Amino acid sequence: MTTNNQGVGTRELALIILLEIERGEKSHIVLRQVLEKYQYLSKQDRAFLTRLAEGTTERRIELDYIINQFSKVKTEKMKPVIRNILRCAVYQIKYMDQVPDSAACNEAVNLATRKGFKNLRGFVNGVLRNIARNIDKIAYPENTEEFLSIKYSMPQWIIRMWVRDYGEEKTKYILKGFYKERATTIRINGNATSKEELIRELTGEGIQVKEHPLLASALLISGYDYLAAIPAFREGKFQVQDAASIMVAEQAGIKEGDYILDVCAAPGGKALHAAQVLNGTGMVEARDLTEMKVELIRENISRMGFENIRAVQQDATCFDADSEEKADVLIADLPCSGLGVMRRKTDIKYKMTLQTEQELVSLQRNMLETVCQYVKVGGTLLYSTCTMDKMENEDNVTWFLKQHPQFELVKMQQIFPQKTYGDGFFLAKLQKKA
């Protein structure tokens, strides 16, 4: 579990990932790139690496709090390599019961040496041995806001916002939800297979499969190595898509023959679902801002084998006169703070700020002003985000309805992570009045 046959240890790979994240790279992308590069890693090593890299990132605030109680040099003053070696080791000591404390300490010391910090071996060893001896005696702040921030490694401004919007108990419920282990949610491509056939095929591959308790079109899978190794995935028999995201097409009221416009579609899950619901009729136009994102949609279209869907590069903030009043259903899953997907994108909470969030609200309103013009009379506008923030969600809907009285609210719901065994999500269904 420590060194593969190429001489690069899983802990060293975790360190590489953490340093890239600190430099500003996105956690889920860096992890995926490393796993793709080191495909010869065993399933056990891949699982260990994923857990260590994601867990250390997810628990960063708490890990720094613990380290700072036992180190004269505070984490923010440390060299990035040493800071992340210590974080990794403390995560193993506190959260990975299968790793002996002595192994976590020794491997950290060895890694510091390998990375050119032989002179800091004693410092790393001393801090970690002291933490290992006292890990069950860590004192946390008594102030509720500070306590929740450290205990769940959530920036205080987010805690403050959620306590204001949802109350203290609901905030605790949300925070706990991010740390519950969850299987991967997949949506069955009913055009290519049946639920029974897909369950049989995946089970035959040694994958654990459960039916989703809320969605007939979804399954929960776990115990697989990586997606590209699953034949059913390569053959387009299923799409990885969160339960809350699946609800968009299910609640849109799509009818055969409809023209569907998805204005921020990448990687294309909702658009592909809409194409499936159309059952070979109508057309879905899946748009996104960059050629890279559009190419990602095209790859998924090709894998799933649908013909009633096309991917187009288009900026959602720029009015497209050719689309005016053309869409029976317009899906506007707009750029947002992403606070509902922190379980999968573990670094989002450290990059987001209140100012950035306010800038996103402005962008969302700009986009809604533009794309609402594409909805037919009698048509549907589905506004959604993958966040839990009233400014981006309920407040935006209230603002939009004041600006556009020709639309009426049909349904609005804030979905919390535990509810769907997946992400936090917001959905508002609006109809353009005749």
Side-chain angles (χ1 to χ4, degrees):
M1 194 153 58
T2 56
T3 307
N4 59 57
N5 58 7
Q6 302 292 313
V8 183
T10 47
R11 289 177 175 85
E12 187 168 347
L13 291 176
L15 177 62
I16 290 168
I17 291 167
L18 294 172
L19 290 170
E20 285 294 308
I21 293 168
E22 270 208 359
R23 291 185 193 111
E25 297 299 322
K26 293 179 178 176
S27 60
H28 62 293
I29 292 175
V30 177
L31 176 59
R32 186 177 70 229
Q33 288 171 342
V34 169
L35 290 173
E36 285 173 357
K37 182 177 179 180
Y38 296 90
Q39 283 193 15
Y40 52 77
L41 288 171
S42 69
K43 184 176 177 181
Q44 183 184 16
D45 279 354
R46 292 169 72 85
F48 180 84
L49 171 60
T50 301
R51 169 88 189 276
L52 185 54
E54 287 186 339
T56 302
T57 303
E58 196 171 38
R59 296 279 188 180
R60 184 194 296 174
I61 292 173
E62 183 186 29
L63 298 175
D64 284 1
Y65 176 81
I66 292 170
I67 294 164
N68 287 340
Q69 290 193 32
F70 296 91
S71 171
K72 289 180 181 176
V73 182
K74 302 310 174 189
T75 52
E76 63 269 19
K77 299 288 186 184
M78 294 177 186
K79 298 280 188 185
V81 169
I82 297 301
R83 175 167 60 235
N84 284 291
I85 286 174
L86 289 174
R87 285 171 176 167
C88 261
V90 176
Y91 181 79
Q92 292 166 70
I93 290 166
K94 185 159 177 62
Y95 290 107
M96 298 181 79
D97 294 339
Q98 75 275 30
V99 179
D101 291 352
S102 57
C105 296
N106 292 338
E107 291 289 347
V109 171
N110 293 338
L111 189 50
T113 304
R114 274 177 71 109
K115 290 297 178 182
F117 292 93
K118 189 175 181 180
N119 59 320
L120 293 177
R121 285 167 56 104
F123 168 73
V124 170
N125 187 57
V127 169
L128 291 178
R129 299 281 175 189
N130 203 0
I131 289 172
R133 283 193 298 270
N134 295 284
I135 197 67
D136 295 324
K137 303 170 190 169
I138 305 294
Y140 288 83
E142 291 185 9
N143 175 283
T144 300
E145 193 180 288
E146 284 182 65
F147 172 79
L148 292 176
S149 175
I150 291 164
K151 183 69 177 173
Y152 296 100
S153 284
M154 191 66 65
Q156 282 195 40
W157 73 269
I158 298 177
I159 300 283
R160 248 187 321 269
M161 179 177 71
W162 285 346
V163 169
R164 179 197 70 208
D165 290 347
Y166 305 117
E168 194 177 303
E169 287 310 305
K170 189 73 170 182
T171 298
K172 288 178 184 175
Y173 171 80
I174 294 168
L175 292 167
K176 287 175 184 174
F178 286 119
Y179 290 98
K180 287 190 175 178
E181 283 207 29
R182 292 196 189 91
T184 302
T185 305
I186 63 171
R187 181 177 52 76
I188 304 156
N189 178 3
N191 293 12
T193 188
S194 68
K195 179 188 281 190
E196 294 72 23
E197 287 169 354
L198 185 58
I199 291 172
R200 195 159 47 244
E201 184 174 349
L202 293 174
T203 305
E205 293 278 332
I207 297 166
Q208 294 161 22
V209 185
K210 291 181 181 177
E211 293 200 29
H212 197 283
L214 301 176
L215 299 167
S217 60
L219 295 171
L220 298 167
I221 65 169
S222 56
Y224 61 92
D225 192 354
Y226 58 104
L227 282 170
I230 304 174
F233 175 77
R234 296 197 303 270
E235 293 161 12
K237 293 178 180 176
F238 69 86
Q239 173 81 8
V240 174
Q241 189 175 353
D242 191 75
S245 174
I246 293 171
M247 289 179 182
V248 172
E250 291 202 344
Q251 296 186 18
I254 296 170
K255 307 179 300 298
E256 291 192 10
D258 276 353
Y259 174 65
I260 315 293
L261 187 52
D262 187 344
V263 294
C264 295
K270 298 177 193 70
L272 285 160
H273 191 185
Q276 183 180 321
V277 174
L278 286 172
N279 195 27
T281 69
M283 177 55 66
V284 179
E285 184 162 308
R287 297 177 175 179
D288 222 303
L289 179 61
T290 65
E291 185 56 40
M292 185 180 74
K293 287 189 172 184
V294 171
E295 188 53 41
L296 185 59
I297 299 168
R298 288 188 183 124
E299 286 172 12
N300 279 319
I301 291 171
S302 174
R303 184 177 57 81
M304 298 293 277
F306 292 141
E307 294 182 359
N308 60 337
I309 178 171
R310 58 176 174 254
V312 176
Q313 187 176 354
Q314 172 76 29
D315 184 344
T317 62
C318 297
F319 178 64
D320 173 26
D322 291 339
S323 298
E324 191 168 6
E325 296 198 344
K326 293 282 180 66
D328 294 287
V329 175
L330 186 132
I331 299 170
D333 185 37
L334 302 186
C336 71
S337 57
L339 301 182
V341 296
M342 287 188 280
R343 186 178 56 89
R344 290 188 288 114
K345 300 178 180 180
T346 48
D347 59 325
I348 279 181
K349 57 188 173 183
Y350 309 121
K351 293 177 176 176
M352 190 54 54
T353 65
L354 186 57
Q355 182 184 343
T356 306
E357 191 177 34
Q358 288 165 343
E359 289 167 0
L360 282 165
V361 170
S362 179
L363 175 64
Q364 289 152 358
R365 293 183 178 188
N366 185 8
M367 286 182 167
L368 284 170
E369 275 288 330
T370 304
V371 303
C372 73
Q373 298 173 76
Y374 308 149
V375 183
K376 281 181 181 176
V377 172
T380 297
L381 167 60
L382 278 170
Y383 172 57
S384 61
T385 71
C386 54
T387 195
M388 295 169 292
D389 165 29
K390 288 193 173 181
M391 281 196 304
E392 297 176 76
N393 297 338
E394 291 93 337
D395 291 356
N396 266 351
V397 173
T398 300
W399 167 86
F400 179 80
L401 290 170
K402 281 182 182 175
Q403 301 296 316
H404 299 277
Q406 71 271 36
F407 282 87
E408 61 183 351
L409 181 63
V410 178
K411 181 178 185 178
M412 179 167 68
Q413 64 184 130
Q414 175 67 66
I415 300 159
F416 296 100
Q418 297 92 324
K419 180 74 175 173
T420 59
Y421 300 81
D423 295 334
F425 202 79
F426 174 81
L427 173 67
K429 181 178 180 179
L430 304 127
Q431 189 164 31
K432 191 172 183 180
K433 292 182 273 191

